[in-house]
Amino acid sequence: MLPDTTGRWQDRHRDEKRQVLGWEFRTFVTAFVSLPCQVVTSGRRRILRVLSWNPHPAIFFRLVDRLRR
């Protein structure tokens, strides 16, 4: 489901997709599922703030954007 975009970032996104598909399950869980977040409730909304950085959230958020469509 991870999209291959067209244009400037096409090669980079294709390489990232191949990299993710080659991961073992434990690496996938560490990169995407075990993201430390702070949950903030404001009014009737919940906001998730990502607290740490690794090189994989950009890939994760591109996937989330694709799944929401």
Side-chain angles (χ1 to χ4, degrees), residues 40-46:
V40 178
T41 304
S42 174
R44 295 182 184 197
R45 298 186 325 171
R46 285 202 180 100

Side-chain angles (χ1 to χ4, degrees), residues 16 28 31-32 42 60:
E16 288 173 347
F28 173 81
F32 289 162
S42 174
F60 175 73

Side-chain angles (χ1 to χ4, degrees), residues 37-42 44-50:
C37 292
Q38 177 184 20
V39 180
V40 178
T41 304
S42 174
R44 295 182 184 197
R45 298 186 325 171
R46 285 202 180 100
I47 300 169
L48 300 175
R49 294 182 182 162
V50 179

